[in-house]
């Protein structure tokens, strides 16, 4: 969660005139039942296309509207010409916005809610604007799209603009705004804050005291951890890797190497380790794809003699650090049998690097691998100050401990 997302939450929340003591989602006005937005709602639309724009990081609302209109002008076919379009379903929730194929329901696009910068409805047109990371140079620094010597205090960023047509354009835009409002209420509730006692400036100040910890961010920005791996094998031989999901909340949502087939090509190459993130296979990106799609891509390499992987070398165990000044602040995640099964968007746990689907290995240096569920809950409930948690994907943990049988690809 970044400050820009927080300000966007505040913008939607206070412009919807919500300021009361009741933390129930039912008081959040909009076209949807607020509770439905927790699971997600779907609107039918026609996808016209996407375009990328360069933008100041914090433009005015008028500038955003001009950008939205520019995106429409780029995508929309001239008067009298046929407009290419695809039937899609727009999935909207307090966690993410997805564009699904109407026929197959496969995700064509998937944006976490905090990456959405602006939503505009122009007649029957909806423009969804999401931040996109700039290319990273060899030293891990963002390249300046306007040139290294460009003057001016405003830093630039890339915006990906998706353009849709729908008779419900205004309702869709309102539903996305409502999702931000519900997400904000959830944040307040998770952190024990009463909306009536908090002004927008106070909220930003409060969040500013909550440190953002993400060891992945530091790790992935180090170019020494990014590697190209070449695997030689006989045609018809499998690559010899078992992969699992990195876990919701990961800064790099892709597959993780969970096991290597003994004597298989992946192990023989000597360059892969359990915990490594696979970014691409033979130049096909796996980032953001469903686990089944990634597995199919790797499985289809069986008849090839050489496989090239782009990976980020990672340890199998990740660290999360949660700052909790007082037990009255809820941690914002739930645990079942040592596994993190849900995470509150915007809570202190998310800011600390907690991710869904991970098994807790240690809490403040104390192993909890064999600790009963009730004791884990007791430890977490009473923990204050700086809380250190070591976790790993639950699927990897089960494979390493022999609870599951690996499916090698």
């Amino acid at each position: 969660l970044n400050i820009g997302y927080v300000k966007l939450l505040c913008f939607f929340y206070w412009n919807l005139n919500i300021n009361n003591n009741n933390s129930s989602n039912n008081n959040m006005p909009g076209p949807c039942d607020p509770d439905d937005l927790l699971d997600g709602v779907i609107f039918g639309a026609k996808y016209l296309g996407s375009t990328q724009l360069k933008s100041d990081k914090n433009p005015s609302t008028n500038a955003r509207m001009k950008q939205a209109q520019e995106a429409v002008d780029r995508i929309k076919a001239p008067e009298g010409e046929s407009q290419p379009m695809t039937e899609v379903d727009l999935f909207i929730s307090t966690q993410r916005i997805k564009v699904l194929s109407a026929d197959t329901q496969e995700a064509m696009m998937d944006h976490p809610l905090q990456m959405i910068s602006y939503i505009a409805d122009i007649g029957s047109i909806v423009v969804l604007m999401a931040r996109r990371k700039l290319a990273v140079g060899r030293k891990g620094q963002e390249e300046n799209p306007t040139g290294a010597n460009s003057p001016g205090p405003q830093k630039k960023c890339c915006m990906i603009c998706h353009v849709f047509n729908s008779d419900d354009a205004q309702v869709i835009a309102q539903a996305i705004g409502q999702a931000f409002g519900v997400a904000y209420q959830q944040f307040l509730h998770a952190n024990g804050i009463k909306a009536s006692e908090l002004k927008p400036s106070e909220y930003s100040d409060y969040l500013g005291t909550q440190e953002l910890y993400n060891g992945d961010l530091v790790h992935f920005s180090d170019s020494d951890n990014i590697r190209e791996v070449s695997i030689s094998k006989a045609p018809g031989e499998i690559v010899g890797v078992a992969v699992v999901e990195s876990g919701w909340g990961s800064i790099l949502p892709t597959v993780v190497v969970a096991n290597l087939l003994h004597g298989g090509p992946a192990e023989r190459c000597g360059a892969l380790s359990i915990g490594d993130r696979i970014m691409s296979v033979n130049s096909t990106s796996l980032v953001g794809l469903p686990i089944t799609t990634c597995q199919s891509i790797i499985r289809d390499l069986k008849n090839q003699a050489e496989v090239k992987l782009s990976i980020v070398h990672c340890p199998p165990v990740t660290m999360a650090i949660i700052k909790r000044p007082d037990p009255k602040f809820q941690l914002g995640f739930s645990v079942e049998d040592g596994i993190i099964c849900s995470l509150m968007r915007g809570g202190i746990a998310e800011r600390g690097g907690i991710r869904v689907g991970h098994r807790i290995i240690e809490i403040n240096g104390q192993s909890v691998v064999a600790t009963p569920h009730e004791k884990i809950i007791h430890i977490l409930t009473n923990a204050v100050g700086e809380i250190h948690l070591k976790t790993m994907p639950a699927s990897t943990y089960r494979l390493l401990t022999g609870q599951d049988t690996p499916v090698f690809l």
Side-chain angles (χ1 to χ4, degrees):
L1 187 72
N2 53 47
I3 294 298
Y5 176 52
V6 168
K7 289 179 179 175
L8 195 58
L9 284 178
C10 291
F11 170 80
F12 279 112
Y13 190 74
W14 270 280
N15 281 280
L16 285 168
N17 297 315
I18 297 302
N19 194 7
N20 54 56
N21 288 315
N22 195 333
S23 64
S24 168
N25 296 322
N26 293 326
N27 292 309
M28 179 58 63
C32 305
D33 183 326
D35 288 334
D36 288 344
L37 287 169
L38 299 177
D39 297 320
V41 296
I42 289 178
F43 292 91
K46 293 180 175 67
Y47 171 63
L48 305 187
S50 300
T51 187
Q52 185 170 285
L53 302 173
K54 295 291 195 314
S55 170
D56 292 334
K57 284 200 171 181
N58 296 295
S60 65
T61 302
N62 286 338
R64 279 279 187 248
M65 274 303 297
K66 288 179 181 178
Q67 290 170 344
Q69 186 62 60
E70 181 182 349
V72 173
D73 293 341
R74 288 187 187 184
I75 298 296
K76 204 168 181 185
E79 191 72 30
E81 293 187 16
S82 126
Q83 174 70 59
M85 59 181 66
T86 304
E87 295 281 349
V88 297
D89 287 333
L90 273 174
F91 172 87
I92 301 167
S93 77
T94 55
Q95 296 179 356
R96 57 204 323 106
I97 295 177
K98 295 182 184 180
V99 181
L100 308 172
S101 165
D103 294 331
T104 65
Q105 291 298 291
E106 286 191 9
M108 298 166 57
M109 283 157 269
D110 186 351
H111 293 292
L113 192 65
Q114 78 266 28
M115 297 302 290
I116 304 301
S117 290
Y118 197 74
I119 312 103
D121 59 288
I122 308 170
S124 62
I125 298 294
V126 176
V127 182
L128 186 66
M129 302 174 68
R131 289 186 299 280
R132 188 172 188 175
K133 288 190 175 181
L134 293 175
V136 178
R138 292 177 65 90
K139 295 183 179 180
Q141 296 180 344
E142 287 185 351
E143 295 175 358
N144 187 341
T146 58
N149 299 317
S150 296
Q154 280 270 29
K155 291 184 177 180
K156 296 288 183 179
C157 67
C158 285
M159 303 295 301
I160 184 77
C161 304
H162 306 301
V163 182
F164 306 89
N165 183 287
S166 173
D167 292 337
D168 296 323
Q170 187 175 18
V171 176
I172 291 171
Q174 290 172 350
I176 296 173
Q178 187 184 11
F180 274 99
V182 174
Y184 176 69
Q185 279 194 333
Q186 290 286 311
F187 177 90
L188 294 183
H189 182 68
N191 289 280
I193 305 169
K194 292 183 179 179
S196 61
E197 298 174 357
L198 192 66
K199 297 177 181 177
S201 60
E202 292 172 333
Y203 175 65
S204 295
D205 291 343
Y206 170 79
L207 188 69
T209 68
Q210 306 302 301
E211 256 183 65
L212 174 63
Y213 175 82
N214 197 322
D216 284 353
L217 188 60
V218 177
H219 190 85
F220 295 154
S221 64
D222 186 347
S223 58
D224 290 339
N225 294 320
I226 302 173
R227 304 174 185 178
E228 301 298 321
V229 175
S230 180
I231 300 174
S232 299
K233 64 183 191 66
E237 187 180 21
I238 64 173
V239 176
V241 294
V243 296
V244 298
E245 292 178 295
S246 55
W248 182 79
S250 171
I251 196 172
L252 184 66
T254 185
V255 291
V256 179
V257 176
N259 213 327
L260 298 171
L261 177 65
H262 182 62
E267 186 186 60
R268 292 199 305 266
C269 81
L272 279 178
S273 303
I274 293 174
D276 288 346
R277 309 282 182 92
I278 303 177
M279 294 189 294
S280 67
V281 176
N282 288 350
S283 299
T284 299
S285 175
L286 304 187
V287 177
L289 297 180
I291 180 68
T292 52
T293 303
C294 295
Q295 289 171 330
S296 295
I297 291 172
I298 298 172
R299 191 179 289 113
D300 289 344
L301 301 170
K302 186 174 181 179
N303 293 323
Q304 299 193 24
E306 186 175 17
V307 176
K308 293 187 180 295
L309 306 180
S310 178
I311 69 165
V312 179
H313 180 62
C314 301
V317 176
T318 62
M319 172 69 81
I321 300 179
I322 303 172
K323 304 279 190 173
R324 189 189 196 190
D326 192 282
K328 71 179 181 181
F329 295 109
Q330 297 182 29
L331 289 173
F333 69 97
S334 59
V335 178
E336 186 173 341
D337 295 328
I339 299 173
I340 298 158
C341 53
S342 68
L343 179 64
M344 185 66 67
R345 169 65 69 188
I348 57 175
E350 185 190 42
R351 292 186 66 76
I354 290 292
R355 61 206 62 177
V356 173
H358 272 223
R359 177 74 158 79
I360 301 175
I361 307 300
E362 286 185 7
I363 302 174
N364 289 335
Q366 176 185 348
S367 173
V368 293
V369 168
T371 303
H373 171 76
E374 293 75 15
K375 188 170 181 181
I376 292 176
I377 297 301
H378 177 77
I379 294 171
L380 291 172
T381 301
N382 294 284
V384 292
E386 193 171 277
I387 308 167
H388 292 243
L389 290 91
K390 288 185 179 179
T391 71
M392 72 164 55
S395 301
T396 302
Y397 174 81
R398 290 194 297 268
L399 288 172
L400 293 177
T401 55
Q403 299 176 46
D404 286 351
T405 301
V407 177
F408 291 108
L409 307 170

